[in-house]
Amino acid sequence: MMKNIIFVLLLFKSLFCTIILAKNVLLIVADDGGFETQVYGNPVCKTPHLDKLASKSTIFKNAFTSVSSCSPSRSSILTGLPQHQNGMYGLHQDIHHFNSFDEVKSLSKLMKMKNIYSGIIGKKHVGPENVYPFDFAYTEETNSINQVGRNITKIKDLVHEFFSTLNHSQPFFLYVAFHDPHRCGHTNPEYGEFCEKFGNGEEGMGIIPDWKPEHYKPEDVIVPYFIPDTPTARADIAAQYTTLSRLDQGIGLVLKELKEFNHDNDTLVIYTSDNGIPFPSGRTNLYDPGMAEPFLMHLPQQTYSQVSEEMVSLLDIVPTILEWFNVKYPDYKLNGMPVQLSGKSLLQSTSLKKSEAVFASHNLHEVTMYYPIRVVRTNSYKLIHNLNFKMPFPIDQDFFISPTFQDLLNRTVEKKETHWYKNLTDYYYRPEWELFDLEKDSNERYNVVNNAAYHSIRTTLQKMLLDWQISTNDPWICSPSGVLENKGRFKENPTCLPLYNGV
């Protein structure tokens, strides 16, 4: 009898602790962040606060974005739906003007429906407002993006204000979206290529009181395999490191506020980035440099670090947070089709629910950059479908004006050594299908799609990709060789009809 009582008490204690701990969420997202941290093997760039967070987190080594563009990725992070399903096909702001469908049930909308206090500080970059409502919001929509996204003292104060306005009996979801280490040479060149001078105390730069700038020598930086190893690129990376250090110090301030308000032991903390870094093969690409992301997940009272090799997607964030809050995803339709999340909760990352593959879907970045791509990636292989392969791969304004790309252009025109693993012709003009054997070719240099030895692999991956496109209602499912007919007499039997266009 006594044993049964003790068992019941222990079970009650376990359930009680689970209920208390599973209370709040802090989601931290970097802007074009990468793997320039000690956590992921870079000993040069100083990120002590991320290192400390990693020391008590699960470190995911195989995390991937579902789209390599800012607004589309943020919409996917906040909805759990790929961009082709939620409607955010390209950038949200200015002339680009893309929006998610009005009927989409975003994470912040679901939080509001469940009386979970929601806040966003920093870069929002998604719309419309009725799809992405927040109770507490300080974003580029009403403030300077550099102030709410890079001024870490301002961000700290806003986090403090968020917690001060919070009803302590109410659970919260706080989304802190830094603007670092995004480039700013296109918009604010006076602050440097990565806004590395912004707030550094020099004349005309302003001052961020809580920031202690870290400076790096170009000769000391680590040049990833996909970036030209030139003096210009090294200087570019050094500037990037400085803003990454500011991001890190900002994260430290946010976590300090979390602790001071006694929420460090009842809050799930997730850190990641929206897409790859703004260098060749990075952002707007779905090669691994544009698709692979840092990903840390800290559970309340977790005191140890563990490494997961499991393949995860940023589409897994919504299912994870919903499970944390014990919120059921609603039944509804988009464009006449039932909506189901294709991601999985990472709270069960040690269970048998492991992903054999992750998927990605990209259509545009800027409105002029139409280059739809679909991808399926396993641990061993990656299949890329370039739908607009007869056109050159587009370059965005922000990256085009960067020192690294300008140097690459000039060296190519002047027929000088580029010190790059590719050439511009191959970078611009890509085949319709690319298949990479990642175990033999982790840098994705050798396309084996036409190699007979990989025929069965190609067929299997194409089937997996098609099934995912069907399940996520991809309007591009018949491109580029056909047209999807799914209304009228085709309503009950949607069909891809051939264009006979030679593709």
Side-chain angles (χ1 to χ4, degrees):
M1 179 66 177
M2 182 59 68
K3 287 183 178 180
N4 290 337
I5 293 173
I6 292 174
F7 174 77
V8 170
L9 287 173
L10 288 174
L11 179 61
F12 175 78
K13 180 181 179 182
S14 174
L15 291 172
F16 179 77
C17 289
T18 300
I19 292 170
I20 293 299
L21 294 181
K23 186 179 180 184
N24 308 306
V25 171
L26 170 61
L27 173 61
I28 303 173
V29 175
D31 199 356
D32 298 355
F35 296 92
E36 294 75 23
T37 63
Q38 289 179 301
V39 179
Y40 286 97
N42 185 318
V44 178
C45 190
K46 299 174 182 176
T47 55
H49 300 286
L50 277 173
D51 297 343
K52 183 178 179 180
L53 177 61
S55 71
K56 50 185 180 179
S57 299
T58 299
I59 304 167
F60 289 94
K61 290 294 186 76
N62 289 298
F64 301 90
T65 183
S66 67
V67 54
S68 193
S69 173
C70 180
S71 297
S73 179
R74 290 164 192 271
S75 72
S76 295
I77 289 171
L78 290 174
T79 66
L81 307 177
Q83 56 84 24
H84 67 249
Q85 189 175 19
N86 77 57
M88 186 73 71
Y89 303 138
L91 296 180
H92 173 63
Q93 84 286 6
D94 302 330
I95 196 172
H96 317 294
H97 201 57
F98 288 100
N99 286 279
S100 292
F101 298 122
D102 289 333
E103 299 83 5
V104 168
K105 308 295 185 186
S106 75
L107 190 56
S108 60
K109 195 166 189 174
L110 295 176
M111 297 296 98
K112 203 172 187 67
M113 292 168 60
K114 295 296 182 179
N115 197 33
I116 296 169
Y117 191 61
S118 63
I120 179 171
I121 297 168
K123 189 171 183 177
K124 188 175 184 182
H125 223 36
V126 292
E129 174 66 24
N130 67 290
V131 172
Y132 300 99
F134 286 87
D135 298 308
F136 181 98
Y138 284 84
T139 72
E140 76 281 359
E141 294 179 351
T142 54
N143 299 266
S144 159
I145 184 58
N146 285 333
Q147 289 297 330
V148 295
R150 299 188 197 265
N151 183 339
I152 60 176
T153 297
K154 175 76 169 177
I155 294 168
K156 175 196 72 174
D157 291 343
L158 289 173
V159 171
H160 186 95
E161 184 179 342
F162 172 83
F163 287 132
S164 297
T165 61
L166 178 66
N167 179 337
H168 291 288
S169 65
Q170 186 179 19
F172 70 79
F173 165 60
L174 177 59
Y175 172 35
V176 180
F178 286 89
H179 195 27
D180 281 333
H182 194 286
R183 288 186 180 275
C184 74
H186 172 60
T187 55
N188 296 107
E190 67 274 20
Y191 294 134
E193 294 302 326
F194 282 87
C195 273
E196 70 276 10
K197 300 176 184 178
F198 175 71
N200 69 0
E202 295 178 4
E203 185 178 354
M205 297 296 106
I207 187 166
I208 300 173
D210 289 289
W211 182 34
K212 298 177 178 59
E214 296 281 357
H215 300 289
Y216 300 87
K217 297 178 181 179
E219 59 267 27
D220 292 337
V221 304
I222 296 174
V223 182
Y225 70 89
F226 54 90
I227 299 177
D229 192 350
T230 64
T232 299
R234 283 180 168 271
D236 220 7
I237 295 171
Q240 178 205 25
Y241 279 15
T242 294
T243 54
L244 279 161
S245 292
R246 181 169 59 207
L247 164 71
D248 178 76
Q249 291 177 37
I251 290 172
L253 293 172
V254 171
L255 294 176
K256 184 178 179 182
E257 289 295 321
L258 187 75
K259 184 173 184 178
E260 289 186 355
F261 279 87
N262 298 316
H263 287 303
D264 54 323
N265 286 325
D266 62 16
T267 301
L268 171 70
V269 180
I270 295 174
Y271 166 76
T272 188
S273 178
D274 54 349
N275 44 246
I277 63 176
F279 285 92
S281 294
R283 187 187 65 198
T284 75
N285 287 269
L286 289 178
Y287 300 118
D288 271 9
M291 190 173 162
E293 302 299 338
F295 199 107
L296 307 177
M297 186 173 74
H298 165 72
L299 297 172
Q301 299 186 349
Q302 183 176 345
T303 58
Y304 58 90
S305 174
Q306 63 180 4
V307 174
S308 173
E309 299 291 343
E310 180 183 353
M311 297 193 69
V312 302
S313 167
L314 299 195
L315 294 174
D316 297 333
I317 291 175
V318 166
T320 300
I321 293 176
L322 290 182
E323 181 181 354
W324 184 257
F325 284 121
N326 195 27
V327 173
K328 183 179 181 296
Y329 192 69
D331 293 325
Y332 72 104
K333 292 183 178 182
L334 277 177
N335 300 311
M337 298 293 291
V339 178
Q340 290 185 329
L341 296 176
S342 58
K344 66 183 186 308
S345 171
L346 300 178
L347 299 178
Q348 308 298 327
S349 62
T350 58
S351 72
L352 297 177
K353 294 170 59 180
K354 294 187 176 180
S355 297
E356 61 176 341
V358 293
F359 300 87
S361 160
H362 183 101
N363 285 334
L364 302 101
H365 184 62
E366 294 165 358
V367 70
T368 58
M369 295 175 61
Y370 182 69
Y371 202 86
I373 312 170
R374 300 295 183 267
V375 171
V376 54
R377 189 196 192 281
T378 69
N379 275 317
S380 301
Y381 302 98
K382 178 189 274 187
L383 181 71
I384 300 176
H385 190 192
N386 298 306
L387 279 65
N388 202 21
F389 67 99
K390 292 202 172 185
M391 291 294 289
F393 183 80
I395 306 297
D396 66 272
Q397 294 173 313
D398 181 59
F399 175 54
F400 176 82
I401 206 169
S402 70
T404 295
F405 192 70
Q406 285 297 308
D407 184 51
L408 181 58
L409 283 176
N410 292 335
R411 286 173 177 270
T412 299
V413 170
E414 296 168 8
K415 301 189 185 312
K416 293 181 179 179
E417 174 60 54
T418 63
H419 304 282
W420 191 35
Y421 78 133
K422 292 185 177 181
N423 62 69
L424 276 180
T425 298
D426 291 340
Y427 188 73
Y428 287 145
Y429 294 98
R430 307 175 182 189
E432 180 180 4
W433 293 95
E434 297 177 88
L435 175 62
F436 300 104
D437 184 337
L438 301 175
E439 292 183 355
K440 298 178 181 178
D441 177 28
S442 60
N443 295 349
E444 301 167 305
R445 296 190 63 180
Y446 305 105
N447 183 10
V448 296
V449 74
N450 293 320
N451 186 327
Y454 292 88
H455 176 75
S456 63
I457 296 296
R458 171 181 175 172
T459 301
T460 298
L461 293 176
Q462 285 178 324
K463 175 65 165 56
M464 290 172 66
L465 184 57
L466 179 64
D467 288 346
W468 181 72
Q469 289 182 268
I470 292 172
S471 69
T472 56
N473 195 26
D474 188 353
W476 280 261
I477 196 166
C478 300
S479 296
S481 60
V483 172
L484 174 63
E485 291 291 351
N486 58 358
K487 295 183 179 180
R489 69 177 189 269
F490 295 98
K491 183 177 181 180
E492 302 302 323
N493 186 29
T495 304
C496 288
L497 298 180
L499 284 167
Y500 303 109
N501 56 9
V503 176

